[in-house]
Amino acid sequence: MDIDVYKRYYAAKCVFNGVTRKGVVVTLSARSGGGEITYAAAVSFFPHRDEEDFAVSYDAYAEKILFSGKGRRSKKREAAYMKEFEAAADEAAASIGGKIFWDRPLTDAWLG
């Protein structure tokens, strides 16, 4: 089961597969099953050609695993991962040549 703990769209900069990307969706996700849980910070850059273009292409995607092991969802654990989320997302973004502009959100945050 995959759950987005946090999700938000931001202005960004990335060129991937020859396409300029000006937006990014960032997520903190929890994947669980069989007594195991994985928390990951993920980024997916998309073209964002105008203010209404939120068509995420999913080819410019990267993630950083924050935790993987035995356990289940925990609000306390999720709060701790949110404190390191921006740095982890920045690391994932840099791995594919992207930059997130945290001071320029494109949507409100979604908490799950």
Side-chain angles (χ1 to χ4, degrees):
M1 174 185 244
D2 286 2
I3 297 169
D4 289 336
V5 175
Y6 172 85
K7 182 177 183 177
R8 193 167 192 184
Y9 292 77
Y10 288 90
K13 181 172 83 172
C14 183
V15 176
F16 194 83
N17 284 338
V19 178
T20 299
R21 319 301 173 113
K22 296 179 183 176
V24 65
V25 57
V26 298
T27 56
L28 172 63
S29 63
R31 295 180 210 125
S32 63
E36 300 281 323
I37 186 133
T38 299
Y39 283 97
V43 297
S44 187
F45 290 89
F46 60 99
H48 194 57
R49 293 180 180 98
D50 60 51
E51 291 180 15
E52 295 182 15
D53 179 15
F54 288 91
V56 179
S57 53
Y58 295 105
D59 64 335
Y61 174 88
E63 72 177 15
K64 176 171 171 66
I65 302 298
L66 301 174
F67 174 82
S68 185
K70 293 199 178 293
R72 57 184 179 186
R73 275 192 77 190
S74 158
K75 295 292 183 185
K76 183 177 177 182
R77 184 182 293 174
E78 290 170 4
Y81 292 138
M82 282 303 299
K83 290 179 182 176
E84 60 185 271
F85 176 73
E86 283 188 19
D90 282 337
E91 188 176 324
S95 75
I96 57 171
K99 175 160 179 54
I100 302 165
F101 300 115
W102 295 105
D103 60 337
R104 294 175 35 205
L106 300 174
T107 64
D108 290 333
W110 182 87
L111 302 171

